[in-house]
Amino acid sequence: MASATLLKSSFLPKKTDWFGARPTANRQVTVSLTVRASSYADELVKTAKTVASPGRGILAMDESNATCGKRLASIGLENTEANRQAYRTLLVTAPGLGNYVSGAILFEETLYQSTVDGKKMVDVLVEQSIVPGIKVDKGLVPLAGSNDESWCQGLDGLASRCAAYYQQGARFAKWRTVVSIPNGPSALAVKEAAWGLARYAAIAQDNGLVPIVEPEILLDGEHGIDRTFEVAQKVWAEVFFYLAENNVLFEGILLKPSMVTPGAECKERATPEQVASYTLKLLHRRIPPAVPGIMFLSGGQSEVEATLNLNAMNQGPNPWHVSFSYARALQNTCLKTWGGRPENVKAAQDALLTRAKANSLAQLGKYTGEGESAEAKEGMYVKNYSY
Amino acid sequence: MSAFIGKYADELIKTAKYIATPGKGILAADESTGTIGKRLASINVENIESNRQALREMLFTAPGALPFLSGVILFEETLYQKTADGKPFVDLLLENSVIPGIKVDKGTIEIAGTNGETTTQGLDSLGARCQQYYNAGARFAKWRAVLKIGPCEPSELSIVQNAQGLARYALICQENGLVPIVEPEILTDGSHDIAKCAAVTEKVLAAVYKALNDHHVLLEGTLLKPNMVTPGSDSPKVSPEVIAEYTVTALRRTVPPAVPGIVFLSGGQSEEEATLNLNAMNKLEVLKPWTLSFSFGRALQQSTIKKWVGKKENVEAAQATFLVRCKANSEATLGKYAGGNTDAAASESLYVKGYKY
């Protein structure tokens, strides 16, 4: 029998990596790869599983310089490299952050930066048991021939960029494309968004980075939750089909979807239970179980809203890790608390840890919402938001 | 773009879930008149209606067998047949909590311009036929698409064609109250290795689910009937554990959790092989959000038919054989099959090159 020689490394997750209480079996049999093999396959699978570990999620801190400038301006600070460095230092050195955060997405500048104490940012993160990630797209630009919609640039030279980022210590990547419901979305825009993500994902995997696949369906609009659901089903069907066509290894990716909610300007709001119900239905209809983790974006929800919604989704077992990849919903209060002053660093870090812990509990379905501040409940939706 | 929620939505979801009950599976007894003729010929029995009726009655009345089945796929003629005592088969099955299903496709034909690849016929007036079948008591349907592996096969054209056919069929069924079993069979014919079969299976299933989603099919009200992932018929065999890992990996990569059950076809595997492979899959310590069960034709009936050889005096013994296979496969769906069937017929390969139904 040819069996033994076919067995190398399995893609099936081990018992400890999924939910359920079944007895251990003697698992000596393993399986070699199919067409979707790259030399990094095993590492990709391992990294994806590490980021998708129970009770943890992602801190998205990959704001471009321009966007970071807006954040700094909101607390009266100038957009200088020193200030960006100070802020990011504050974030990555928060003590014990790694208990709640498994990965941090960085902007290119930060990947090559050191903290104010002269230590490499990536080294600080790794010591905190946080996997460094890197934004690799080159932003949104107008999509010709569409209904005023955008597409995401960044495929040119992506392979060598990814390889360089890998050398620098990054182990996952992120590419954010958007779909706008008030603008249609047109079939063209959806196709382009899905295809771009698929191409990026294949290239990232080829160069050792776990791709986070992020087709953000923007909150902007007056549409109700049913319309969002409809669009999301279409978008995710396209995304997965193109990922498969590009021979992407599903065990080595992470998803970063938007939750299914009403549009920001819709008069009918939805409870966390409704958001959870719609979102979970979407996931069950579109996401193959091979994908290890689904890390939701917050997209303008308030810090508390984002936590409550995540918690509602984790009230029962799911076939994939359902967690967070939050930027504003983790950083907002922290940033305001800091205000740019060194004497506020500890308080700011505490604020960050408070949010991180809350979301960690939400990932486990155990968040209770006690003691949340008014600040945390304030919505962060900005119309026509651009990074 | 949301899934089609017609008047039968709740019933479809309930039926699909029931068919996917762990410990139960499907008997595929939907051989067309021509195909069942081949089975009968192999035991020197004439292909007349009374013999076809006798064979099916023997299976449906086998003592103790029906509890292991959640559904039986019938051919049109059988849907309207009765037992010797005059009880409609449909009633007999329903009384025993077995759901009657119906084959609704009209066979395959070659796609001109390809290297012998096929598409499946049967969409014309499918809606009206489904309504009639529903009225006659059927609650699920089956449509078999066929693909093959070759140097340039399956071609993009054949994948798209077959996926589209399955999606149209599935939606029409759901409009008319029948749970569609989606069957994209990739034949084992060939000398390719298991990795090739896995790659093709993953590609085909991805295309199938894309088509189902594009056509608004309600996944919670469907079942999937795929091939297991195995080496080609001309390649060295591998162990059930290897087949299990490749098959479950392929399914985890393509089948959304909304689908309640996956009911494997046996292809040309022997009765015992098919059971052992199914068992290995259910023993695998990995998360499977759908149940893994069987929808076997030859792999449930082969040794039963050989024992019967058309003689009334053999019915009891044949039914006992049938019960053994039903029970074995039921255990396999729970990962509890101990194996070791000593019947030679059970180990006989049922592979036929270029098999046509």
Side-chain angles (χ1 to χ4, degrees), chain A residues 23 31 233 251 284 286 290, chain B residues 2 213 220 245 252-253 258 285:
Chain A
V31 160
Q233 283 196 125
E251 292 87 349
H284 275 82
R286 293 292 182 269
Chain B
S2 290
N213 292 335
E220 294 88 338
E245 288 237 11
R252 279 173 49 87
R253 287 173 175 173
E285 294 268 307

Side-chain angles (χ1 to χ4, degrees), chain A residues 50-322:
Chain A
T50 301
V51 173
S53 48
R56 300 205 295 166
I58 293 175
L59 165 60
M61 43 183 287
D62 59 316
E63 297 84 359
S64 62
N65 289 345
T67 302
C68 197
K70 291 185 203 165
R71 303 270 183 275
L72 296 171
S74 78
I75 53 169
L77 282 191
E78 218 187 320
N79 190 10
T80 61
E81 205 202 318
N83 283 339
R84 294 193 293 272
Q85 180 195 39
Y87 180 50
R88 270 68 184 264
T89 299
L90 183 163
L91 297 176
V92 306
T93 57
L97 186 62
N99 289 324
Y100 316 118
V101 169
S102 52
I105 319 179
L106 308 173
F107 180 62
E108 190 179 53
E109 178 188 78
T110 322
L111 184 69
Y112 289 92
Q113 253 180 356
S114 297
T115 63
V116 298
D117 304 314
K119 206 160 177 195
K120 287 211 180 115
M121 293 273 186
V122 292
D123 290 345
V124 173
L125 287 170
V126 170
E127 270 168 34
Q128 291 253 55
S129 301
I130 300 175
V131 180
I134 176 72
K135 185 219 302 282
V136 302
D137 68 70
K138 291 197 169 234
L140 302 166
V141 285
L143 176 59
S146 74
N147 186 24
D148 234 356
E149 297 157 289
S150 334
W151 66 291
C152 185
Q153 291 185 128
L155 292 178
D156 291 0
L158 179 60
S160 43
R161 278 210 308 288
C162 286
Y165 293 149
Y166 182 95
Q167 286 308 312
Q168 187 60 14
R171 287 296 177 271
F172 70 92
K174 167 238 171 145
W175 169 292
R176 174 184 174 262
T177 192
V178 302
V179 165
S180 165
I181 295 181
N183 293 67
S186 65
L188 171 63
V190 171
K191 208 171 259 223
E192 169 54 37
W195 185 255
L197 279 167
R199 294 283 294 117
Y200 137 77
I203 293 170
Q205 287 195 330
D206 223 35
N207 291 281
L209 303 180
V210 170
I212 294 188
V213 174
E214 179 179 356
E216 174 169 359
I217 298 169
L218 296 169
L219 209 51
D220 302 56
E222 299 172 339
H223 52 274
I225 195 170
D226 287 310
R227 177 71 185 136
T228 306
F229 185 59
E230 212 180 297
V231 172
Q233 283 196 125
K234 175 64 174 169
V235 167
W236 283 104
E238 298 271 314
V239 168
F240 272 99
F241 181 58
Y242 292 141
L243 286 172
E245 295 238 286
N246 279 271
N247 295 312
V248 171
L249 178 68
F250 286 179
E251 292 87 349
I253 67 174
L254 293 163
L255 300 184
K256 182 162 169 169
S258 32
M259 297 183 197
V260 180
T261 66
E265 284 103 10
C266 178
K267 294 186 182 59
E268 264 185 64
R269 306 313 305 159
T271 63
E273 288 69 38
Q274 283 173 313
V275 170
S277 170
Y278 272 87
T279 308
L280 286 174
K281 184 171 256 171
L282 166 76
L283 299 179
H284 275 82
R285 285 182 180 175
R286 293 292 182 269
I287 318 297
V291 176
I294 302 178
M295 328 293 286
F296 282 94
L297 61 92
S298 49
Q301 298 173 39
S302 77
E303 287 176 328
V304 171
E305 234 183 317
T307 305
L308 283 170
N309 288 335
L310 180 63
N311 188 55
M313 283 192 265
N314 281 296
Q315 292 308 304
N318 291 312
W320 346 253
H321 178 78
V322 174

Side-chain angles (χ1 to χ4, degrees), chain B residues 80-155:
Chain B
Y80 296 102
Q81 275 180 336
K82 305 177 163 67
T83 64
D85 301 327
K87 176 176 254 180
F89 280 152
V90 167
D91 292 349
L92 172 62
L93 293 172
L94 285 170
E95 275 165 25
N96 286 280
S97 305
V98 179
I99 305 194
I102 176 74
K103 184 225 294 289
V104 301
D105 71 73
K106 294 192 171 226
T108 58
I109 47 158
E110 283 199 11
I111 305 175
T114 66
N115 182 20
E117 294 179 286
T118 63
T119 184
T120 300
Q121 297 180 118
L123 290 176
D124 291 359
S125 22
L126 178 59
R129 286 191 294 126
C130 285
Q131 272 175 38
Q132 283 165 22
Y133 296 145
Y134 184 95
N135 292 336
R139 287 296 177 273
F140 72 93
K142 166 248 171 134
W143 168 292
R144 177 175 175 261
V146 184
L147 300 112
K148 66 174 191 178
I149 297 180
C152 307
E153 291 86 20
S155 63

Side-chain angles (χ1 to χ4, degrees), chain A residues 307-354:
Chain A
T307 305
L308 283 170
N309 288 335
L310 180 63
N311 188 55
M313 283 192 265
N314 281 296
Q315 292 308 304
N318 291 312
W320 346 253
H321 178 78
V322 174
S323 184
F324 58 93
S325 174
Y326 292 164
R328 287 172 280 173
L330 274 171
Q331 299 179 45
N332 194 45
T333 305
C334 165
L335 179 71
K336 299 236 156 79
T337 307
W338 178 47
R341 296 174 191 287
E343 61 270 26
N344 293 343
V345 165
K346 178 158 189 321
Q349 289 182 326
D350 286 342
L352 175 65
L353 289 166
T354 299

